[in-house]
Amino acid sequence: MSTDLLQRGKAIKLAIFDVDGVLTDGRLYFLEDGSEFKTFNTLDGQGIKMLMASGVQTAIISGRKTPVVERRAQNLGIPHLYQGREDKLVVLDELLGQLNLSYEQVAYLGDDLPDLPVIRRVGLGMAVANAAAFVREHAHGITQARGGEGAAREFCELILRAQGSLEAAHAAYL
């Protein structure tokens, strides 16, 4: 893990996640009745819970809108959920105004072009391993794990490690 990523992670007060391709594997599943389902990784969920327990706020910004994501956010206790919002930078600015935070205090994990403006603006902008190549080129860092396969957990643990909270997060389960 680079010292640059750890240095960037020290200042983080808010971690934001994209959904499709980050918290999921990026596939969209539609049933005959038009309903949709997604699969989420429990490792990612636990990472988000540990991050919140350490005092870092969390948010989801997704270009798509689905009740499945609302349910997942509620299950994890993620307080800031924005769905159906294509211009993620506008949402970021709204959220920073509400929380009185600066760009440098935000970490973002994304995978595709709609995530790029936020990735480039925040203090710690990361891409999942299977993100679009152009997005990976412009991110501060790239997870080893693919979206939906533990990338969010890796991202959360990087922030916890940078802030000296990872061992305490693990010890809480001993």
Side-chain angles (χ1 to χ4, degrees):
M1 180 158 321
S2 81
T3 50
D4 178 57
L5 292 179
L6 291 172
Q7 190 63 36
R8 289 175 177 279
K10 285 181 182 178
I12 301 306
K13 304 284 185 214
L14 171 66
I16 305 174
F17 303 86
D18 177 37
V19 177
D20 296 321
V22 173
L23 295 179
T24 74
D25 64 8
R27 295 184 218 177
L28 302 176
Y29 300 94
F30 295 99
L31 301 176
E32 285 184 29
D33 66 4
S35 62
E36 178 180 349
F37 74 91
K38 300 176 183 293
T39 58
F40 296 94
N41 190 305
T42 58
L43 292 174
D44 291 340
Q46 184 61 44
I48 291 169
K49 287 180 179 181
M50 291 188 313
L51 197 59
M52 290 188 301
S54 78
V56 175
Q57 297 188 63
T58 56
I60 289 175
I61 304 175
S62 179
R64 300 187 75 248
K65 184 172 175 66
T66 173
V68 175
V69 173
E70 186 173 344
R71 185 173 310 128
R72 183 63 172 157
Q74 287 173 347
N75 290 152
L76 294 175
I78 296 173
H80 307 286
L81 173 62
Y82 298 86
Q83 293 195 81
R85 302 289 299 269
E86 289 294 327
D87 191 338
K88 296 181 178 188
L89 201 50
V90 169
V91 177
L92 173 64
D93 287 338
E94 290 172 14
L95 193 52
L96 292 182
Q98 287 175 18
L99 301 175
N100 197 28
L101 296 173
S102 67
Y103 292 122
E104 294 76 26
Q105 295 174 301
V106 178
Y108 186 90
L109 184 61
D111 74 313
D112 210 349
L113 295 174
D115 302 311
L116 192 54
V118 176
I119 287 171
R120 294 187 64 195
R121 183 71 55 94
V122 298
L124 177 60
M126 292 190 61
V128 297
N130 58 324
F134 191 67
V135 175
R136 290 192 317 264
E137 287 174 23
H138 289 278
H140 296 122
I142 303 165
T143 63
Q144 292 182 348
R146 298 168 57 87
E149 298 178 5
R153 175 66 167 266
E154 188 179 328
F155 174 74
C156 291
E157 289 194 353
L158 182 154
I159 296 166
L160 289 166
R161 183 175 290 114
Q163 296 183 0
S165 302
L166 183 59
E167 290 76 20
H170 288 163
Y173 294 92
L174 293 177

